[in-house]
Amino acid sequence: MTDCNMVEAIRLALLEEMDRDATVVLLGEDVGRKGGVFKASEGLLDRFGAGRVVDTPISEIAIAGVAIGAAMMGLRPVAEFQFADYLHPAYDQLVSQAATMRWRSVGTWGVPVVFRAPFGAVNGGGVYHSQSPEAPYCHTPGLKVVAPSTPRDAHGLLKAAIRDDDPVVFFEHKRNYRTLREDVGGNDDVLRLGTARVDRNGDDVAVITYAGGVHLAREAADAVSSRDGIGVEILDLRTLAPLDHEAIARTVTKTGRALVLHEANRTMGVGAEVAAFVAEELFAELDAPVVRVGAADVHLTYNAVEQAAALPSVDGVAGAIRRLAHY
Amino acid sequence: MTDCNMVEAIRLALLEEMDRDATVVLLGEDVGRKGGVFKASEGLLDRFGAGRVVDTPISEIAIAGVAIGAAMMGLRPVAEFQFADYLHPAYDQLVSQAATMRWRSVGTWGVPVVFRAPFGAVNGGGVYHSQSPEAPYCHTPGLKVVAPSTPRDAHGLLKAAIRDDDPVVFFEHKRNYRTLREDVGGNDDVLRLGTARVDRNGDDVAVITYAGGVHLAREAADAVSSRDGIGVEILDLRTLAPLDHEAIARTVTKTGRALVLHEANRTMGVGAEVAAFVAEELFAELDAPVVRVGAADVHLTYNAVEQAAALPSVDGVAGAIRRLAHY
Amino acid sequence: MDADRLREVHRLATLTRAVDERLWALSRQGRAGFVLTGRGHELAQIATAMSLRVGVDSAWLYYRDLGVALTMGVTPHEVFLGALGKADDPHSGGRQLTAHFSSRALRIGSVSSEVAGHLPHAVGAAYAHRVLGDGGVAVCWFGDGAASEGATHEAMNFAGVHRLPVVFVCENNGLAISVPLSLQMAAPVAARAAGYGMPGLTVDGTDVDRVWAAASDAMDRARAGEGPTLLEVGVPRMLAHSSQDDESYRTDEERAALVAADPLVALRRRLVDEGVLSQDDVDAEIASTAESVRDDAHRALDAPDPTPDRLHRWLYA
Amino acid sequence: MDADRLREVHRLATLTRAVDERLWALSRQGRAGFVLTGRGHELAQIATAMSLRVGVDSAWLYYRDLGVALTMGVTPHEVFLGALGKADDPHSGGRQLTAHFSSRALRIGSVSSEVAGHLPHAVGAAYAHRVLGDGGVAVCWFGDGAASEGATHEAMNFAGVHRLPVVFVCENNGLAISVPLSLQMAAPVAARAAGYGMPGLTVDGTDVDRVWAAASDAMDRARAGEGPTLLEVGVPRMLAHSSQDDESYRTDEERAALVAADPLVALRRRLVDEGVLSQDDVDAEIASTAESVRDDAHRALDAPDPTPDRLHRWLYA
Ligand SMILES: Cc1ncc(C[n+]2csc(CCOP(=O)(O)OP(=O)(O)O)c2C)c(N)n1
Ligand SMILES: Cc1ncc(C[n+]2csc(CCOP(=O)(O)OP(=O)(O)O)c2C)c(N)n1
Ligand SMILES: [Mg+2]
Ligand SMILES: [Mg+2]
């Protein structure tokens, strides 16, 4: 049993998997000498050497593409993108190359790469260190997308992602890196991709969310349960592609009222998919319209005022839960 | 009055706008000497010269980025991406640069660029000449996204896009380039971005769609009206961002039954946003769940069998309409 | 090149040309959907491909590399299965366009239609060859057009920094579809090499001896741990870019001149002159190849199409 | 450089340094969120910026270019408004990080935090300068790290093909955050220029005369229609990458050596030695600058924060 915050949990997962399997390698900007700008790979260069921990030039196409080619030849690379915002220059390699490789070669070539991407808003990050760009990867057949909310999930899911034979885009919310500690289990605590987790049980309203949204949901759930006696069920999706439709159906069937929450801007976010699924497949179960809460459809700012105004807030989520409960 | 197919309509719009405004320039791969692989710029190099019609190297980052910088300095570039699939290498320039420019410079710098992108499946195109990648651009604040279905709309909307002061991603379905001719109007027939169009009136089921989907919807509507007497209303969204919510509300309120249709793969497509909007805002108007029809969540193939199996079909759409009508 | 090797080049070039011609015939008949071939590039393709050890070195081709594939052991029948979009095509099961090869046994990475998308993969493979110590060299072919892509720069720079075992072969035919070299770059492709700390050479791609020598040297350097090489071979693009290209940007005279200067015809003339082959040998080779290739194509025409039930197959492991 | 210019360089460098120091103080106080400055780069920034005509030429800066901005006429007060995220910051209204400038009057394109994202914009601007005939030259600054990006390659290649009026200035400080040059590239940045058909020069970026001469030549070439130039200036990065960087990858000795070799101190020594300025002049300049800059910062601290009601403003025209 190891007590970790989320970034430590990620580092531990990397370390354990690199220890276990000599084909696991790490590459990215500043992952070596500096141990990553968030310290997710601290000490790994010393432990595994420059052959397996590669400080790359600032070239995201190469980071992704080199990882893909290396994976095809037998390695299991973990490619770190310093900020999820910098996945964009490599977008083509992810959606047109990694995602299509196995499919287009009728199973000949697999791409067991994990694309790690710290995402989400932190104070003062501005538009290039705050983005939540997970949606398009969820629209891309052939990719898996993971976004854990807790140290334990981060550890177990990253290990699963590394062992997975397909490309996985792994989003880590920067704000959650150091906020919470918990026992993350040991070397064999590998979780299964594609499974949501009921983070909290409740009967009245379901909040379906992931990553940073889980923590927001917890605060909002506390507020409405103590003040209004509303029982909130929180479903942490954990994997965004493929979605765990059964778990979503269970929570919606149980509560009849569903709110989908994420930090990405609202229009065309993952919430749209979840809401559309619920509206189409669980129409008869719904006692109220499925509600989406996400960031405003704007960019995020360096200044705190505009950033706070753009992001979903505890009050905003609590208000939406109340309106749903009383619909 | 000019009778045109869609690609001729696009060429005409380019020609008229370049005639009208000397700051309109064209750049892209093969747009000059060859007149574009689809001939959308045929003859324009001869007419306007190599200063304003630029055959670029194969470098999509530069095509997008040069257009952005040139726009900031006073030009109104139309940047052609040979296939929408090749927008991906330039993704960063569109979503992190063009989309944020005005916002991040508090109005100082605008980016009046049209990013033209022939999209959608044609026979034998395979995974790199068939993609429908419009969804992520609709998720990006600061961009406008247009996808016309007819020659007249293509003409009037492209002119509007060129005159617009913001970046517009303009998707043209390749399959519609030469299928239909109509009068596209004259130099002054500039349409308004952001407005949907009722393509066909009907009382029973609304099909909300765009681009290639409109033609599929027409065929399916013909089938169900003649065989089943179901009155289908077709709403052509035309602009995907910003969505015309009023028009969607009108057609859903009128019919109480809505089907969202597109050729992009279903999960996380534009249909998710439309369905989620309908489910949340028009819950009380719905007599049946809002249904989505899109391509299967796979890639498109060179061989015709798999491609046809993946794409939405007239029969599939007609069947979905019938089920909705009888829900 | 010694006489045996030259005869092998001739055999492979004759085969490549025969397959090429058959593919265009299938396209004209409306049977093959989208055909791209390397007519004029063959000798350079074959001579470079002959320098690698099949199954040890990894090969990263682009869509025009029919000659590379046939040299490495892809069969004409497989090519036709692919061109016709057949289920039994082992390379893509008919999912990808003509000549989009992929083979684990031959260590050919999956070709994508996307220009330059594979260069970073080749570099990643070279990195894996080193980490795994499997002795492989990654060989990567691409066109002059691909040289302008950001992916190409990032890949070459990465290879240079880590002195990886990779050989970059640029088949410079002077055109990216219709765009001439003068609008693509202001210096030869090989002039880029210095900026990546690797040797860069420009070689006449119709001269098999020089191409073979340059490629062999580059392979030797890579195997000896001396890092990457950029080899630019000048070749003619004898045909249209693809079966969809009307070639409106070239005159009939330009095209006629290219056909007149066919490097395969020149090679045959030389081999006969030098006594490596007799004219009868050449004629016999052409005739027997044409026949076997016709058979291969016919068998492919009869092969089954894919079935819709495999729609979701191979999307995930 | 003549004595007047040298005094101007000194004035601007002193100003840049004073603003730089104040920014770090604000960061340590928790008032400015994210601070990056160019300590050690100033002389190169100032000497290159002095070669352009403000308002005619367009300027494409990166986040470290405080010295360029102050030379071009951005005021310290504006810098502080930005660093403190204030509504009245004319560059980004507090939306972007410190030193992310943007000005139509000065023709400074909007800085983005994204490495190399602006190089294609500079080239596009150069293209527009030519099409519009406005006589402008685009000048583009970036770090050694940016040189590895695909965007940089595509931008330089485009500029080379069209011989556009653009000057590329690479401020090579030997580090991309923690990654040393040896892991970034296998040849000098300037060695890339030949591949784009443009001249490439490497100049000591602490030598104002040489930088000024090289930049002026490059500007002259651009204005004369002779095309782009790549100018690489070697500079020290005296501080951490940013206020978020613990600099764990450098030793205390390395940092002390950088401070000891401060190019601004060396310049002052030289100017006093050469009689261009007296030590009293220097001291007075430092003192008065410190005072005015302190005032500028104070005024900025009192300025109003943005209000949430402008959330959607400037997203669209
Ligand atoms: C990223 C990308 N952009 C554009 C295209 C469209 N395209 C296909 S082939 C081609 C020309 C390639 O030229 P070159 O690399 O010289 O190869 P060649 O066909 O001449 O052998 C273009 C522009 C593409 N396939 N991929
Ligand atoms: C596209 C992109 N990738 C990664 C980053 C993260 N990042 C910010 S600054 C930096 C280092 C830049 O180094 P260099 O270009 O040499 O400039 P310097 O800071 O040394 O002046 C990195 C990796 C980024 N901002 N943009
Ligand atoms: Mg070519
Ligand atoms: Mg640097």
Side-chain angles (χ1 to χ4, degrees):
Chain A
M1 96 142 246
T2 324
D3 194 57
C4 282
N5 65 26
M6 187 152 123
V7 77
E8 290 163 358
I10 285 162
R11 180 179 168 284
L12 183 65
L14 292 172
L15 191 154
E16 287 171 354
E17 294 305 299
M18 292 182 80
D19 259 340
R20 196 185 57 84
D21 179 353
T23 67
V24 178
V25 298
L26 203 65
L27 67 167
E29 295 154 10
D30 303 289
V31 299
R33 299 203 312 161
K34 189 174 163 68
V37 297
F38 298 105
K39 302 292 177 192
S41 52
E42 191 158 39
L44 300 187
L45 173 62
D46 283 345
R47 188 172 178 124
F48 299 106
R52 290 179 65 197
V53 179
V54 183
D55 267 326
T56 66
I58 312 183
S59 42
E60 288 79 12
I61 304 174
I63 294 172
V66 165
I68 293 168
M72 292 168 73
M73 284 297 123
L75 299 182
R76 301 188 88 84
V78 179
E80 176 177 302
F81 291 78
Q82 197 159 84
F83 289 84
D85 316 61
Y86 306 133
L87 280 170
H88 300 330
Y91 189 70
D92 186 61
Q93 284 290 330
L94 273 75
V95 308
S96 265
Q97 294 294 338
T100 64
M101 192 65 75
R102 183 183 299 281
W103 178 91
R104 75 188 206 227
S105 66
V106 284
T108 298
W109 297 111
V111 179
V113 174
V114 182
F115 302 95
R116 287 187 47 236
F119 82 135
V122 286
N123 280 345
V127 61
Y128 297 106
H129 304 92
S130 304
Q131 297 177 36
S132 291
E134 62 274 22
Y137 302 103
C138 303
H139 183 46
T140 307
L143 296 180
K144 297 179 180 176
V145 181
V146 177
S149 67
T150 68
R152 192 180 176 82
D153 282 353
H155 177 259
L157 290 168
L158 182 53
K159 290 170 73 92
I162 292 171
R163 298 185 192 191
D164 198 275
D165 286 332
D166 289 311
V168 179
V169 194
F170 197 90
F171 289 99
E172 305 160 8
H173 201 300
K174 302 185 288 285
R175 201 173 49 231
N176 302 150
Y177 267 159
R178 292 164 215 282
T179 40
L180 188 95
R181 304 190 72 83
E182 66 180 358
D183 172 22
V184 301
N187 215 330
D188 297 326
D189 287 304
V190 181
L191 294 170
R192 212 146 57 75
L193 302 185
T195 57
R197 176 177 59 77
V198 177
D199 186 72
R200 177 180 299 205
N201 279 296
D203 291 320
D204 301 324
V205 174
V207 178
I208 303 168
T209 185
Y210 56 92
V214 173
H215 302 283
L216 201 56
R218 287 181 184 176
E219 286 189 63
D222 287 344
V224 297
S225 86
S226 61
R227 288 221 302 267
D228 313 76
I230 302 171
V232 174
E233 176 144 313
I234 301 176
L235 185 70
D236 182 350
L237 291 169
R238 302 199 294 189
T239 295
L240 308 182
L243 279 175
D244 186 346
H245 288 116
E246 289 72 29
I248 297 171
R250 268 194 304 275
T251 194
V252 172
T253 305
K254 177 176 173 191
T255 57
R257 290 157 206 271
L259 182 153
V260 200
L261 167 66
H262 53 60
E263 193 184 292
N265 59 297
R266 192 170 182 277
T267 297
M268 285 294 296
V270 171
E273 178 60 34
V274 175
F277 165 75
V278 169
E280 180 163 356
E281 301 295 333
L282 304 165
F283 187 66
E285 313 292 342
L286 286 175
D287 299 321
V290 51
V291 167
R292 286 183 292 160
V293 177
D297 288 313
V298 297
H299 305 294
L300 295 181
T301 50
Y302 173 67
N303 77 73
V305 178
E306 276 185 300
Q307 198 199 65
L311 292 175
S313 65
V314 175
D315 283 354
V317 175
I321 294 172
R322 276 188 211 104
R323 280 191 300 280
L324 255 183
H326 302 130
Y327 182 86
Chain B
M1 98 143 243
T2 324
D3 194 57
C4 282
N5 66 25
M6 188 153 121
V7 76
E8 289 162 359
I10 285 162
R11 181 179 169 283
L12 182 65
L14 292 172
L15 191 153
E16 287 171 352
E17 293 306 298
M18 291 181 82
D19 260 339
R20 195 186 57 85
D21 179 352
T23 69
V24 178
V25 299
L26 204 65
L27 68 167
E29 294 154 11
D30 303 289
V31 300
R33 300 203 311 162
K34 188 173 164 68
V37 296
F38 297 104
K39 302 291 179 193
S41 51
E42 192 157 39
L44 300 187
L45 173 62
D46 283 346
R47 187 172 178 127
F48 298 106
R52 290 179 65 196
V53 179
V54 182
D55 266 327
T56 66
I58 311 183
S59 41
E60 287 79 11
I61 304 174
I63 294 172
V66 165
I68 292 169
M72 291 168 74
M73 284 297 123
L75 299 182
R76 303 188 88 86
V78 179
E80 177 176 301
F81 291 77
Q82 196 159 84
F83 289 84
D85 316 62
Y86 306 133
L87 279 169
H88 301 330
Y91 189 68
D92 185 61
Q93 284 290 329
L94 272 75
V95 307
S96 265
Q97 294 295 339
T100 64
M101 193 64 76
R102 183 183 299 281
W103 178 90
R104 75 189 207 228
S105 65
V106 284
T108 299
W109 297 111
V111 179
V113 174
V114 181
F115 302 95
R116 286 187 47 236
F119 81 137
V122 286
N123 281 343
V127 62
Y128 297 106
H129 304 92
S130 303
Q131 298 177 35
S132 292
E134 61 275 22
Y137 303 103
C138 303
H139 184 46
T140 307
L143 295 180
K144 297 179 180 177
V145 181
V146 176
S149 67
T150 67
R152 191 179 176 84
D153 281 354
H155 177 260
L157 289 168
L158 181 53
K159 290 170 72 91
I162 292 171
R163 298 184 192 191
D164 198 275
D165 286 332
D166 289 311
V168 178
V169 194
F170 197 89
F171 289 99
E172 305 159 8
H173 201 301
K174 302 185 287 286
R175 200 174 49 232
N176 302 150
Y177 267 158
R178 292 165 214 281
T179 41
L180 188 94
R181 305 191 72 82
E182 66 181 358
D183 172 21
V184 301
N187 215 330
D188 297 326
D189 287 303
V190 181
L191 294 170
R192 213 147 57 76
L193 302 185
T195 57
R197 176 176 59 76
V198 177
D199 186 73
R200 177 181 298 205
N201 279 296
D203 291 320
D204 302 325
V205 174
V207 178
I208 304 169
T209 186
Y210 55 93
V214 173
H215 303 283
L216 201 56
R218 286 180 184 176
E219 286 189 64
D222 286 345
V224 298
S225 85
S226 61
R227 288 220 302 268
D228 312 77
I230 301 171
V232 174
E233 175 144 313
I234 301 176
L235 185 70
D236 182 349
L237 291 169
R238 302 199 295 188
T239 296
L240 309 182
L243 279 174
D244 186 346
H245 288 117
E246 289 73 30
I248 297 171
R250 267 195 304 276
T251 194
V252 172
T253 304
K254 177 176 173 189
T255 57
R257 290 156 206 270
L259 182 154
V260 199
L261 166 67
H262 52 61
E263 193 184 292
N265 61 296
R266 192 170 182 277
T267 297
M268 285 295 296
V270 171
E273 177 60 34
V274 175
F277 164 74
V278 169
E280 181 165 354
E281 300 295 334
L282 305 165
F283 187 66
E285 313 292 340
L286 286 175
D287 299 321
V290 52
V291 167
R292 286 183 292 159
V293 177
D297 287 313
V298 298
H299 306 292
L300 294 180
T301 51
Y302 173 67
N303 76 73
V305 179
E306 277 185 300
Q307 198 199 65
L311 292 176
S313 66
V314 174
D315 283 354
V317 175
I321 293 173
R322 277 187 211 104
R323 282 192 298 280
L324 256 183
H326 302 128
Y327 183 86
Chain C
M1 269 193 171
D2 60 26
D4 278 347
R5 278 225 176 77
L6 284 170
R7 276 188 287 269
E8 180 64 0
V9 170
H10 180 255
R11 186 185 71 76
L12 289 163
T14 301
L15 180 64
T16 305
R17 184 63 62 91
V19 173
D20 172 328
E21 287 171 350
R22 181 60 49 179
L23 286 170
W24 282 86
L26 289 170
S27 159
R28 276 190 303 273
Q29 294 161 7
R31 286 167 149 157
F34 196 105
V35 163
L36 298 119
T37 64
R39 200 173 305 176
H41 294 223
E42 300 99 333
L43 299 185
Q45 291 175 354
I46 292 163
T48 48
M50 280 173 71
S51 75
L52 66 67
R53 294 156 306 175
V54 173
V56 177
D57 300 321
S58 62
W60 305 87
L61 284 62
Y62 83 114
Y63 51 75
R64 209 173 286 293
D65 283 322
L66 183 58
V68 174
L70 293 171
T71 301
M72 290 185 66
V74 170
T75 70
H77 180 58
E78 292 168 16
V79 176
F80 294 122
L81 286 172
L84 298 165
K86 297 296 190 176
D88 297 339
D89 160 27
H91 300 280
S92 84
R95 282 181 168 173
Q96 292 217 84
L97 279 56
T98 307
H100 282 51
F101 303 107
S102 167
S103 165
R104 182 170 286 275
L106 304 175
R107 287 202 136 182
I108 298 177
S110 166
V111 173
S112 81
S113 314
E114 193 167 44
V115 160
H118 63 308
L119 274 91
H121 305 170
V123 174
Y127 167 66
H129 293 321
R130 170 178 299 167
V131 173
L132 296 169
D134 66 6
V137 171
V139 187
C140 183
W141 290 264
F142 57 99
D144 47 291
S148 300
E149 287 281 5
T152 299
H153 167 68
E154 296 194 14
M156 290 189 181
N157 187 51
F158 195 102
V161 167
H162 293 283
R163 297 176 68 81
L164 292 174
V166 50
V167 179
F168 297 103
V169 182
C170 179
E171 302 177 32
N172 187 341
N173 60 16
L175 283 174
I177 306 187
S178 73
V179 181
L181 222 51
S182 60
L183 286 173
Q184 291 189 63
M185 55 191 80
V189 175
R192 307 258 177 89
Y196 306 123
M198 63 171 101
L201 290 86
T202 307
V203 169
D204 176 353
T206 66
D207 183 332
V208 283
D209 297 283
R210 282 161 172 266
V211 174
W212 159 257
S216 301
D217 280 357
M219 294 295 295
D220 288 345
R221 289 192 69 245
R223 281 179 200 129
E226 289 164 25
T229 303
L230 170 53
L231 175 58
E232 176 184 12
V233 295
V235 291
R237 199 192 81 198
M238 291 178 61
L239 302 180
H241 171 73
S242 76
S243 55
Q244 319 259 301
D245 176 20
D246 65 5
E247 243 184 319
S248 56
Y249 48 88
R250 292 211 280 203
T251 62
D252 289 344
E253 291 71 46
E254 286 173 306
R255 277 177 294 187
L258 286 168
V259 172
D262 184 345
L264 176 52
V265 172
L267 176 74
R268 285 178 180 143
R269 211 180 300 125
R270 170 191 156 194
L271 296 187
V272 172
D273 282 356
E274 292 179 2
V276 175
L277 290 170
S278 69
Q279 187 61 47
D280 283 353
D281 292 338
V282 169
D283 293 343
E285 182 74 39
I286 294 174
S288 71
T289 304
E291 199 179 306
S292 72
V293 163
R294 196 178 328 105
D295 274 9
D296 291 329
H298 270 127
R299 275 190 299 132
L301 282 163
D302 295 336
D305 287 322
T307 48
D309 58 294
R310 63 167 217 188
L311 191 59
H312 290 269
R313 215 160 146 211
W314 298 299
L315 191 58
Y316 295 98
Chain D
M1 270 192 170
D2 60 25
D4 278 347
R5 278 223 176 77
L6 285 170
R7 278 188 286 268
E8 179 66 359
V9 170
H10 180 255
R11 186 186 71 77
L12 288 163
T14 301
L15 179 64
T16 305
R17 184 62 62 90
V19 173
D20 174 328
E21 287 170 349
R22 180 62 48 179
L23 286 170
W24 282 85
L26 289 169
S27 160
R28 276 190 304 273
Q29 295 161 7
R31 287 167 149 158
F34 196 106
V35 163
L36 300 119
T37 64
R39 200 174 304 177
H41 294 222
E42 300 99 333
L43 299 185
Q45 291 176 352
I46 292 164
T48 47
M50 280 172 72
S51 75
L52 65 66
R53 295 156 306 174
V54 173
V56 177
D57 300 322
S58 62
W60 305 87
L61 284 60
Y62 83 115
Y63 51 75
R64 210 174 284 295
D65 284 322
L66 182 59
V68 174
L70 293 172
T71 302
M72 289 185 67
V74 171
T75 70
H77 181 58
E78 291 169 16
V79 176
F80 294 123
L81 287 171
L84 297 166
K86 297 297 190 176
D88 298 339
D89 159 27
H91 300 279
S92 84
R95 282 179 168 173
Q96 292 217 84
L97 280 55
T98 306
H100 282 50
F101 302 107
S102 167
S103 164
R104 182 170 286 275
L106 305 176
R107 287 201 135 182
I108 298 178
S110 166
V111 173
S112 81
S113 314
E114 193 168 45
V115 160
H118 63 309
L119 274 90
H121 306 170
V123 175
Y127 166 66
H129 293 320
R130 170 178 299 165
V131 172
L132 296 169
D134 66 7
V137 171
V139 187
C140 183
W141 290 264
F142 57 100
D144 47 292
S148 300
E149 287 281 4
T152 300
H153 167 67
E154 297 193 15
M156 289 189 181
N157 188 50
F158 195 103
V161 166
H162 292 283
R163 297 177 68 80
L164 292 174
V166 50
V167 179
F168 297 103
V169 182
C170 179
E171 301 177 34
N172 187 340
N173 60 17
L175 284 173
I177 305 187
S178 71
V179 181
L181 221 53
S182 60
L183 286 172
Q184 290 189 62
M185 55 189 81
V189 175
R192 309 258 177 88
Y196 306 123
M198 62 171 103
L201 289 87
T202 306
V203 169
D204 176 353
T206 67
D207 183 333
V208 284
D209 298 283
R210 280 160 175 265
V211 174
W212 159 257
S216 302
D217 280 357
M219 294 296 295
D220 287 345
R221 289 192 68 245
R223 282 179 199 128
E226 290 163 25
T229 302
L230 171 52
L231 174 59
E232 177 183 12
V233 295
V235 291
R237 199 193 79 199
M238 291 177 61
L239 301 180
H241 171 72
S242 75
S243 54
Q244 319 258 299
D245 176 20
D246 65 5
E247 242 184 319
S248 56
Y249 49 88
R250 290 211 280 204
T251 63
D252 289 345
E253 291 72 47
E254 285 173 307
R255 277 176 295 186
L258 286 168
V259 172
D262 184 344
L264 176 52
V265 172
L267 176 74
R268 285 179 180 143
R269 210 179 301 124
R270 170 192 155 192
L271 295 187
V272 172
D273 282 356
E274 292 181 1
V276 175
L277 289 172
S278 69
Q279 186 60 47
D280 283 352
D281 292 340
V282 169
D283 293 343
E285 182 75 38
I286 294 175
S288 72
T289 305
E291 198 179 307
S292 72
V293 163
R294 196 177 331 106
D295 273 9
D296 290 330
H298 270 127
R299 275 192 298 131
L301 281 164
D302 295 336
D305 287 321
T307 47
D309 58 293
R310 63 167 216 187
L311 192 58
H312 289 269
R313 216 160 145 210
W314 300 297
L315 191 59
Y316 295 100

